[in-house]
Each structure stands twice: as structure tokens, then as C-alpha cells.
């Protein structure tokens, strides 16, 4: 009961509210903790495995996005005349990867 003597009803958070709160939880363990402690959702072994899979997928998407940004930055730096060694250092990739990116770009421009 609340302070007015009426029965207090528990309202489940909206899915978007859950997603917003889980977005800031960094690790898999943090997300499980948020589900169990903040949202009072019991987490089965199956659900735990699904959360782990979703975390792995989101990390893959994040890494792909970071690589895309690094590649675009490398192209811009090369267009500005920066030496390849400095570009590789700036975008934190090996010279082999950088040369592969530039070869892909050249091949795409030739088509």
C-alpha cells in the first residue's frame, strides 16, 4: 500500500525503457544484473544464453562500424596527402590492412 492507503500496483517498464537502460550497461554481466535487479526479471539459463548472443552480435556490429569509420578516415587522410605510415598509425591498423583498403578503393573507382 502507498501512503494514501491504496494498494500500490507494480507497472512493468516499457520495452523501450528497458532497451534504454540496457544500452548503458556495458558488459554482459551488467545487462544480466540490470534485468534481474532493476527490472526484477528472472533470467533462465536459456535467456542468459540469448543475452550473451545479443551482446556478441552488438559487439560485432559496433566493431564493423568502427572499422568503416576508420576506413573512411584513412581515405580522407590519403586524399589530403598524408603518408600511408602516418595514416595507418592514425587509424590504428596495420600497413597490410591499410594497403588492402586502398586497393579495394582503387578497384571500386575503376569499375
Amino acid at each position: 500500500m502507498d501512503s494514501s492507503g491504496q494498494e500500490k500496483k507494480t507497472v512493468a517498464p516499457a520495452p523501450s525503457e528497458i532497451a534504454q537502460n540496457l544500452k548503458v550497461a556495458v558488459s554482459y554481466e551488467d545487462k544480466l544484473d540490470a534485468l534481474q535487479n532493476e527490472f526484477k526479471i528472472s533470467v533462465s539459463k536459456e535467456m542468459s544464453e540469448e543475452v550473451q548472443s545479443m551482446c556478441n552480435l552488438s559487439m560485432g556490429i559496433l566493431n564493423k562500424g568502427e572499422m568503416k569509420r576508420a576506413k573512411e578516415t584513412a581515405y580522407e587522410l590519403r586524399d589530403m596527402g598524408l603518408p600511408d605510415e602516418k595514416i595507418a598509425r592514425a587509424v590504428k591498423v596495420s600497413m597490410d590492412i591499410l594497403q588492402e583498403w586502398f586497393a579495394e578503393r582503387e578497384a571500386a573507382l575503376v569499375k
Side-chain angles (χ1 to χ4, degrees):
M1 290 197 182
D2 65 12
S3 61
S4 67
Q6 293 188 358
E7 189 174 326
K8 189 175 181 180
K9 293 184 181 181
T10 304
V11 178
S16 61
E17 187 179 350
I18 293 172
Q20 181 66 28
N21 285 310
L22 290 179
K23 188 167 59 175
V24 294
V26 176
S27 70
Y28 159 73
E29 291 81 12
D30 288 342
K31 289 177 181 164
L32 286 181
D33 182 63
L35 286 171
Q36 292 172 331
N37 297 321
E38 289 182 46
F39 301 110
K40 308 299 184 218
I41 297 173
S42 61
V43 178
S44 66
K45 182 177 187 217
E46 182 181 333
M47 183 182 219
S48 175
E49 290 170 357
E50 289 178 13
V51 170
Q52 181 67 54
S53 294
M54 290 170 50
C55 289
N56 292 342
L57 177 61
S58 65
M59 285 304 297
I61 292 169
L62 179 63
N63 290 339
K64 186 176 180 179
E66 289 174 356
M67 288 301 278
K68 182 179 178 184
R69 277 193 303 275
K71 188 185 285 192
E72 291 168 353
T73 300
Y75 294 160
E76 289 177 25
L77 293 173
R78 190 175 220 202
D79 290 345
M80 293 169 61
L82 216 62
D84 290 354
E85 294 80 17
K86 288 187 178 185
I87 296 171
R89 197 168 357 138
V91 297
K92 297 177 175 61
V93 297
S94 69
M95 282 295 293
D96 290 338
I97 291 174
L98 188 69
Q99 294 305 322
E100 184 180 311
W101 289 351
F102 290 152
E104 288 172 6
R105 183 183 190 204
E106 293 299 319
L109 292 174
V110 171
K111 288 183 180 181

